[in-house]
Amino acid sequence: MAEHHFHLKADWPGGRNSEGFINAGNLKTKVSIPPEMDGPGAGTNPDEMLLGAAATCYMITLAAMIERANLPLKEMSLTSEGIVDVTNGVFTYKKIIHRPVVALAETSTDSERKKLRRLVEKAETSCMISRAIQGNVEMELEPTLS
């Protein structure tokens, strides 16, 4: 069994609307509450970072699956949306919607396109971030495949 350890150092100078800083290896940025939640909007925030973790994990997992399946990938991109619900002053990360756009080479077969469709769905349940938030945040896929 292998374990990988990741570390983050955070500095926060004061109250709710302060601006902090995080350093986690290649991730070095200001952090604050986003303007949508009446914060200063400096740097990034937990909502964007959770969305970023889920999106990049999904994209990397899908890319690895496509490569292992030897599918003739032409191009791939992803947009993702995070939805936070506020009810009675309680903030809940409700849903993440991934919208992958994946194109195979024009020479791809029907069998390869069917396999791609299966992999697009399987990548969501295989990604470790999706598995970590499973049961807490609804995950939805809206793929565009060609």
Side-chain angles (χ1 to χ4, degrees), residues 23 25 31 40 51 59 66-67 70 76 83 86-87 117 120 131-132 140 143:
N23 181 338
V31 292
L51 180 61
M59 187 169 54
I66 289 170
E67 183 177 283
N70 291 315
M76 180 171 67
I83 300 170
V86 184
T87 301
R117 180 158 294 284
V120 163
R131 290 192 324 263
E140 187 175 311

mmCIF file with all atom_site columns, all heavy atoms in Angstrom, residues 23 25 31 40 51 59 66-67 70 76 83 86-87 117 120 131-132 140 143:
data_model
loop_
_atom_site.group_PDB
_atom_site.id
_atom_site.type_symbol
_atom_site.label_atom_id
_atom_site.label_alt_id
_atom_site.label_comp_id
_atom_site.label_asym_id
_atom_site.label_entity_id
_atom_site.label_seq_id
_atom_site.pdbx_PDB_ins_code
_atom_site.Cartn_x
_atom_site.Cartn_y
_atom_site.Cartn_z
_atom_site.occupancy
_atom_site.B_iso_or_equiv
_atom_site.pdbx_formal_charge
_atom_site.auth_seq_id
_atom_site.auth_comp_id
_atom_site.auth_asym_id
_atom_site.auth_atom_id
_atom_site.pdbx_PDB_model_num
ATOM 1   N N   . ASN A 1 23  ? -0.348  28.164 0.726   1.00 0.00 ? 23  ASN A N   1
ATOM 2   C CA  . ASN A 1 23  ? 0.800   27.648 0.003   1.00 0.00 ? 23  ASN A CA  1
ATOM 3   C C   . ASN A 1 23  ? 0.728   26.133 0.101   1.00 0.00 ? 23  ASN A C   1
ATOM 4   O O   . ASN A 1 23  ? 0.845   25.572 1.186   1.00 0.00 ? 23  ASN A O   1
ATOM 5   C CB  . ASN A 1 23  ? 2.094   28.172 0.631   1.00 0.00 ? 23  ASN A CB  1
ATOM 6   C CG  . ASN A 1 23  ? 3.329   27.694 -0.099  1.00 0.00 ? 23  ASN A CG  1
ATOM 7   O OD1 . ASN A 1 23  ? 3.309   26.684 -0.798  1.00 0.00 ? 23  ASN A OD1 1
ATOM 8   N ND2 . ASN A 1 23  ? 4.421   28.413 0.086   1.00 0.00 ? 23  ASN A ND2 1
ATOM 9   N N   . GLY A 1 25  ? 2.482   23.532 -2.188  1.00 0.00 ? 25  GLY A N   1
ATOM 10  C CA  . GLY A 1 25  ? 3.304   23.103 -3.320  1.00 0.00 ? 25  GLY A CA  1
ATOM 11  C C   . GLY A 1 25  ? 3.215   24.096 -4.461  1.00 0.00 ? 25  GLY A C   1
ATOM 12  O O   . GLY A 1 25  ? 3.615   25.251 -4.320  1.00 0.00 ? 25  GLY A O   1
ATOM 13  N N   . VAL A 1 31  ? -6.519  33.993 -0.586  1.00 0.00 ? 31  VAL A N   1
ATOM 14  C CA  . VAL A 1 31  ? -7.838  33.412 -0.388  1.00 0.00 ? 31  VAL A CA  1
ATOM 15  C C   . VAL A 1 31  ? -8.704  34.379 0.398   1.00 0.00 ? 31  VAL A C   1
ATOM 16  O O   . VAL A 1 31  ? -8.208  35.133 1.238   1.00 0.00 ? 31  VAL A O   1
ATOM 17  C CB  . VAL A 1 31  ? -7.792  32.042 0.351   1.00 0.00 ? 31  VAL A CB  1
ATOM 18  C CG1 . VAL A 1 31  ? -7.152  30.980 -0.507  1.00 0.00 ? 31  VAL A CG1 1
ATOM 19  C CG2 . VAL A 1 31  ? -7.090  32.158 1.683   1.00 0.00 ? 31  VAL A CG2 1
ATOM 20  N N   . PRO A 1 40  ? -14.585 39.946 0.197   1.00 0.00 ? 40  PRO A N   1
ATOM 21  C CA  . PRO A 1 40  ? -13.767 40.842 -0.630  1.00 0.00 ? 40  PRO A CA  1
ATOM 22  C C   . PRO A 1 40  ? -13.408 40.276 -1.998  1.00 0.00 ? 40  PRO A C   1
ATOM 23  O O   . PRO A 1 40  ? -13.035 41.027 -2.900  1.00 0.00 ? 40  PRO A O   1
ATOM 24  C CB  . PRO A 1 40  ? -12.515 41.060 0.217   1.00 0.00 ? 40  PRO A CB  1
ATOM 25  C CG  . PRO A 1 40  ? -12.439 39.887 1.124   1.00 0.00 ? 40  PRO A CG  1
ATOM 26  C CD  . PRO A 1 40  ? -13.866 39.460 1.366   1.00 0.00 ? 40  PRO A CD  1
ATOM 27  N N   . LEU A 1 51  ? -14.462 23.034 -6.612  1.00 0.00 ? 51  LEU A N   1
ATOM 28  C CA  . LEU A 1 51  ? -14.835 22.860 -8.012  1.00 0.00 ? 51  LEU A CA  1
ATOM 29  C C   . LEU A 1 51  ? -13.611 22.526 -8.854  1.00 0.00 ? 51  LEU A C   1
ATOM 30  O O   . LEU A 1 51  ? -13.642 21.626 -9.694  1.00 0.00 ? 51  LEU A O   1
ATOM 31  C CB  . LEU A 1 51  ? -15.529 24.121 -8.542  1.00 0.00 ? 51  LEU A CB  1
ATOM 32  C CG  . LEU A 1 51  ? -15.981 24.084 -9.999  1.00 0.00 ? 51  LEU A CG  1
ATOM 33  C CD1 . LEU A 1 51  ? -16.993 22.978 -10.236 1.00 0.00 ? 51  LEU A CD1 1
ATOM 34  C CD2 . LEU A 1 51  ? -16.560 25.445 -10.391 1.00 0.00 ? 51  LEU A CD2 1
ATOM 35  N N   . MET A 1 59  ? -11.097 15.386 -15.249 1.00 0.00 ? 59  MET A N   1
ATOM 36  C CA  . MET A 1 59  ? -10.452 15.527 -16.554 1.00 0.00 ? 59  MET A CA  1
ATOM 37  C C   . MET A 1 59  ? -9.218  14.627 -16.671 1.00 0.00 ? 59  MET A C   1
ATOM 38  O O   . MET A 1 59  ? -9.022  13.951 -17.688 1.00 0.00 ? 59  MET A O   1
ATOM 39  C CB  . MET A 1 59  ? -10.066 16.987 -16.796 1.00 0.00 ? 59  MET A CB  1
ATOM 40  C CG  . MET A 1 59  ? -9.548  17.262 -18.185 1.00 0.00 ? 59  MET A CG  1
ATOM 41  S SD  . MET A 1 59  ? -9.401  19.034 -18.550 1.00 0.00 ? 59  MET A SD  1
ATOM 42  C CE  . MET A 1 59  ? -8.411  19.614 -17.198 1.00 0.00 ? 59  MET A CE  1
ATOM 43  N N   . ILE A 1 66  ? -9.025  7.228  -21.459 1.00 0.00 ? 66  ILE A N   1
ATOM 44  C CA  . ILE A 1 66  ? -9.014  7.296  -22.925 1.00 0.00 ? 66  ILE A CA  1
ATOM 45  C C   . ILE A 1 66  ? -7.687  6.771  -23.468 1.00 0.00 ? 66  ILE A C   1
ATOM 46  O O   . ILE A 1 66  ? -7.645  6.013  -24.435 1.00 0.00 ? 66  ILE A O   1
ATOM 47  C CB  . ILE A 1 66  ? -9.300  8.736  -23.409 1.00 0.00 ? 66  ILE A CB  1
ATOM 48  C CG1 . ILE A 1 66  ? -10.764 9.088  -23.140 1.00 0.00 ? 66  ILE A CG1 1
ATOM 49  C CG2 . ILE A 1 66  ? -8.948  8.904  -24.881 1.00 0.00 ? 66  ILE A CG2 1
ATOM 50  C CD1 . ILE A 1 66  ? -11.100 10.560 -23.352 1.00 0.00 ? 66  ILE A CD1 1
ATOM 51  N N   . GLU A 1 67  ? -6.598  7.162  -22.814 1.00 0.00 ? 67  GLU A N   1
ATOM 52  C CA  . GLU A 1 67  ? -5.274  6.704  -23.240 1.00 0.00 ? 67  GLU A CA  1
ATOM 53  C C   . GLU A 1 67  ? -5.135  5.191  -23.076 1.00 0.00 ? 67  GLU A C   1
ATOM 54  O O   . GLU A 1 67  ? -4.669  4.502  -23.985 1.00 0.00 ? 67  GLU A O   1
ATOM 55  C CB  . GLU A 1 67  ? -4.202  7.421  -22.414 1.00 0.00 ? 67  GLU A CB  1
ATOM 56  C CG  . GLU A 1 67  ? -2.786  7.085  -22.799 1.00 0.00 ? 67  GLU A CG  1
ATOM 57  C CD  . GLU A 1 67  ? -1.799  7.880  -21.993 1.00 0.00 ? 67  GLU A CD  1
ATOM 58  O OE1 . GLU A 1 67  ? -1.620  9.080  -22.295 1.00 0.00 ? 67  GLU A OE1 1
ATOM 59  O OE2 . GLU A 1 67  ? -1.210  7.311  -21.046 1.00 0.00 ? 67  GLU A OE2 1
ATOM 60  N N   . ASN A 1 70  ? -6.762  3.208  -25.684 1.00 0.00 ? 70  ASN A N   1
ATOM 61  C CA  . ASN A 1 70  ? -6.204  3.454  -27.022 1.00 0.00 ? 70  ASN A CA  1
ATOM 62  C C   . ASN A 1 70  ? -7.208  4.088  -27.965 1.00 0.00 ? 70  ASN A C   1
ATOM 63  O O   . ASN A 1 70  ? -7.258  3.761  -29.154 1.00 0.00 ? 70  ASN A O   1
ATOM 64  C CB  . ASN A 1 70  ? -5.650  2.159  -27.631 1.00 0.00 ? 70  ASN A CB  1
ATOM 65  C CG  . ASN A 1 70  ? -4.424  1.679  -26.906 1.00 0.00 ? 70  ASN A CG  1
ATOM 66  O OD1 . ASN A 1 70  ? -3.528  2.466  -26.601 1.00 0.00 ? 70  ASN A OD1 1
ATOM 67  N ND2 . ASN A 1 70  ? -4.393  0.395  -26.594 1.00 0.00 ? 70  ASN A ND2 1
ATOM 68  N N   . MET A 1 76  ? -10.039 17.513 -26.172 1.00 0.00 ? 76  MET A N   1
ATOM 69  C CA  . MET A 1 76  ? -10.879 17.393 -24.991 1.00 0.00 ? 76  MET A CA  1
ATOM 70  C C   . MET A 1 76  ? -10.812 18.699 -24.211 1.00 0.00 ? 76  MET A C   1
ATOM 71  O O   . MET A 1 76  ? -9.746  19.293 -24.052 1.00 0.00 ? 76  MET A O   1
ATOM 72  C CB  . MET A 1 76  ? -10.398 16.234 -24.111 1.00 0.00 ? 76  MET A CB  1
ATOM 73  C CG  . MET A 1 76  ? -11.222 16.052 -22.862 1.00 0.00 ? 76  MET A CG  1
ATOM 74  S SD  . MET A 1 76  ? -10.845 14.525 -21.945 1.00 0.00 ? 76  MET A SD  1
ATOM 75  C CE  . MET A 1 76  ? -9.188  14.834 -21.385 1.00 0.00 ? 76  MET A CE  1
ATOM 76  N N   . ILE A 1 83  ? -22.687 24.634 -7.635  1.00 0.00 ? 83  ILE A N   1
ATOM 77  C CA  . ILE A 1 83  ? -23.893 25.303 -7.148  1.00 0.00 ? 83  ILE A CA  1
ATOM 78  C C   . ILE A 1 83  ? -23.905 25.212 -5.624  1.00 0.00 ? 83  ILE A C   1
ATOM 79  O O   . ILE A 1 83  ? -23.868 24.112 -5.058  1.00 0.00 ? 83  ILE A O   1
ATOM 80  C CB  . ILE A 1 83  ? -25.159 24.669 -7.747  1.00 0.00 ? 83  ILE A CB  1
ATOM 81  C CG1 . ILE A 1 83  ? -25.112 24.792 -9.273  1.00 0.00 ? 83  ILE A CG1 1
ATOM 82  C CG2 . ILE A 1 83  ? -26.416 25.321 -7.166  1.00 0.00 ? 83  ILE A CG2 1
ATOM 83  C CD1 . ILE A 1 83  ? -26.174 23.998 -9.999  1.00 0.00 ? 83  ILE A CD1 1
ATOM 84  N N   . VAL A 1 86  ? -27.999 28.411 -0.282  1.00 0.00 ? 86  VAL A N   1
ATOM 85  C CA  . VAL A 1 86  ? -28.042 29.110 0.996   1.00 0.00 ? 86  VAL A CA  1
ATOM 86  C C   . VAL A 1 86  ? -29.485 29.096 1.477   1.00 0.00 ? 86  VAL A C   1
ATOM 87  O O   . VAL A 1 86  ? -30.353 29.725 0.878   1.00 0.00 ? 86  VAL A O   1
ATOM 88  C CB  . VAL A 1 86  ? -27.533 30.566 0.865   1.00 0.00 ? 86  VAL A CB  1
ATOM 89  C CG1 . VAL A 1 86  ? -27.505 31.228 2.243   1.00 0.00 ? 86  VAL A CG1 1
ATOM 90  C CG2 . VAL A 1 86  ? -26.168 30.622 0.206   1.00 0.00 ? 86  VAL A CG2 1
ATOM 91  N N   . THR A 1 87  ? -29.731 28.331 2.512   1.00 0.00 ? 87  THR A N   1
ATOM 92  C CA  . THR A 1 87  ? -31.065 28.239 3.094   1.00 0.00 ? 87  THR A CA  1
ATOM 93  C C   . THR A 1 87  ? -30.960 28.550 4.584   1.00 0.00 ? 87  THR A C   1
ATOM 94  O O   . THR A 1 87  ? -30.164 27.913 5.287   1.00 0.00 ? 87  THR A O   1
ATOM 95  C CB  . THR A 1 87  ? -31.661 26.824 2.890   1.00 0.00 ? 87  THR A CB  1
ATOM 96  O OG1 . THR A 1 87  ? -31.721 26.551 1.483   1.00 0.00 ? 87  THR A OG1 1
ATOM 97  C CG2 . THR A 1 87  ? -33.060 26.728 3.470   1.00 0.00 ? 87  THR A CG2 1
ATOM 98  N N   . ARG A 1 117 ? -18.257 6.972  -24.657 1.00 0.00 ? 117 ARG A N   1
ATOM 99  C CA  . ARG A 1 117 ? -19.438 7.330  -23.854 1.00 0.00 ? 117 ARG A CA  1
ATOM 100 C C   . ARG A 1 117 ? -19.383 6.638  -22.486 1.00 0.00 ? 117 ARG A C   1
ATOM 101 O O   . ARG A 1 117 ? -19.664 7.246  -21.461 1.00 0.00 ? 117 ARG A O   1
ATOM 102 C CB  . ARG A 1 117 ? -20.729 6.977  -24.588 1.00 0.00 ? 117 ARG A CB  1
ATOM 103 C CG  . ARG A 1 117 ? -21.979 7.337  -23.787 1.00 0.00 ? 117 ARG A CG  1
ATOM 104 C CD  . ARG A 1 117 ? -23.207 7.497  -24.611 1.00 0.00 ? 117 ARG A CD  1
ATOM 105 N NE  . ARG A 1 117 ? -23.201 8.615  -25.532 1.00 0.00 ? 117 ARG A NE  1
ATOM 106 C CZ  . ARG A 1 117 ? -23.378 9.892  -25.206 1.00 0.00 ? 117 ARG A CZ  1
ATOM 107 N NH1 . ARG A 1 117 ? -23.532 10.223 -23.962 1.00 0.00 ? 117 ARG A NH1 1
ATOM 108 N NH2 . ARG A 1 117 ? -23.391 10.828 -26.118 1.00 0.00 ? 117 ARG A NH2 1
ATOM 109 N N   . VAL A 1 120 ? -16.614 8.278  -20.311 1.00 0.00 ? 120 VAL A N   1
ATOM 110 C CA  . VAL A 1 120 ? -17.000 9.612  -19.817 1.00 0.00 ? 120 VAL A CA  1
ATOM 111 C C   . VAL A 1 120 ? -17.802 9.468  -18.527 1.00 0.00 ? 120 VAL A C   1
ATOM 112 O O   . VAL A 1 120 ? -17.612 10.228 -17.576 1.00 0.00 ? 120 VAL A O   1
ATOM 113 C CB  . VAL A 1 120 ? -17.793 10.374 -20.909 1.00 0.00 ? 120 VAL A CB  1
ATOM 114 C CG1 . VAL A 1 120 ? -18.558 11.545 -20.327 1.00 0.00 ? 120 VAL A CG1 1
ATOM 115 C CG2 . VAL A 1 120 ? -16.837 10.855 -21.993 1.00 0.00 ? 120 VAL A CG2 1
ATOM 116 N N   . ARG A 1 131 ? -15.259 10.489 -5.457  1.00 0.00 ? 131 ARG A N   1
ATOM 117 C CA  . ARG A 1 131 ? -15.527 9.472  -4.432  1.00 0.00 ? 131 ARG A CA  1
ATOM 118 C C   . ARG A 1 131 ? -15.477 10.092 -3.032  1.00 0.00 ? 131 ARG A C   1
ATOM 119 O O   . ARG A 1 131 ? -16.248 9.702  -2.158  1.00 0.00 ? 131 ARG A O   1
ATOM 120 C CB  . ARG A 1 131 ? -14.538 8.311  -4.541  1.00 0.00 ? 131 ARG A CB  1
ATOM 121 C CG  . ARG A 1 131 ? -14.768 7.450  -5.781  1.00 0.00 ? 131 ARG A CG  1
ATOM 122 C CD  . ARG A 1 131 ? -13.986 6.141  -5.766  1.00 0.00 ? 131 ARG A CD  1
ATOM 123 N NE  . ARG A 1 131 ? -12.663 6.202  -5.180  1.00 0.00 ? 131 ARG A NE  1
ATOM 124 C CZ  . ARG A 1 131 ? -11.529 6.341  -5.862  1.00 0.00 ? 131 ARG A CZ  1
ATOM 125 N NH1 . ARG A 1 131 ? -11.559 6.426  -7.177  1.00 0.00 ? 131 ARG A NH1 1
ATOM 126 N NH2 . ARG A 1 131 ? -10.370 6.371  -5.235  1.00 0.00 ? 131 ARG A NH2 1
ATOM 127 N N   . ALA A 1 132 ? -14.596 11.064 -2.818  1.00 0.00 ? 132 ALA A N   1
ATOM 128 C CA  . ALA A 1 132 ? -14.463 11.686 -1.498  1.00 0.00 ? 132 ALA A CA  1
ATOM 129 C C   . ALA A 1 132 ? -15.696 12.502 -1.121  1.00 0.00 ? 132 ALA A C   1
ATOM 130 O O   . ALA A 1 132 ? -16.064 12.562 0.051   1.00 0.00 ? 132 ALA A O   1
ATOM 131 C CB  . ALA A 1 132 ? -13.214 12.570 -1.458  1.00 0.00 ? 132 ALA A CB  1
ATOM 132 N N   . GLU A 1 140 ? -23.195 15.731 -11.561 1.00 0.00 ? 140 GLU A N   1
ATOM 133 C CA  . GLU A 1 140 ? -23.975 15.593 -12.794 1.00 0.00 ? 140 GLU A CA  1
ATOM 134 C C   . GLU A 1 140 ? -23.048 15.743 -13.993 1.00 0.00 ? 140 GLU A C   1
ATOM 135 O O   . GLU A 1 140 ? -22.102 16.544 -13.957 1.00 0.00 ? 140 GLU A O   1
ATOM 136 C CB  . GLU A 1 140 ? -25.051 16.676 -12.806 1.00 0.00 ? 140 GLU A CB  1
ATOM 137 C CG  . GLU A 1 140 ? -26.037 16.569 -13.943 1.00 0.00 ? 140 GLU A CG  1
ATOM 138 C CD  . GLU A 1 140 ? -27.134 17.611 -13.813 1.00 0.00 ? 140 GLU A CD  1
ATOM 139 O OE1 . GLU A 1 140 ? -27.724 17.743 -12.726 1.00 0.00 ? 140 GLU A OE1 1
ATOM 140 O OE2 . GLU A 1 140 ? -27.397 18.303 -14.819 1.00 0.00 ? 140 GLU A OE2 1
ATOM 141 N N   . PRO A 1 143 ? -22.249 15.665 -21.073 1.00 0.00 ? 143 PRO A N   1
ATOM 142 C CA  . PRO A 1 143 ? -21.185 15.557 -22.071 1.00 0.00 ? 143 PRO A CA  1
ATOM 143 C C   . PRO A 1 143 ? -21.627 15.932 -23.482 1.00 0.00 ? 143 PRO A C   1
ATOM 144 O O   . PRO A 1 143 ? -22.800 15.781 -23.848 1.00 0.00 ? 143 PRO A O   1
ATOM 145 C CB  . PRO A 1 143 ? -20.805 14.080 -22.018 1.00 0.00 ? 143 PRO A CB  1
ATOM 146 C CG  . PRO A 1 143 ? -22.041 13.390 -21.560 1.00 0.00 ? 143 PRO A CG  1
ATOM 147 C CD  . PRO A 1 143 ? -22.758 14.365 -20.664 1.00 0.00 ? 143 PRO A CD  1
#
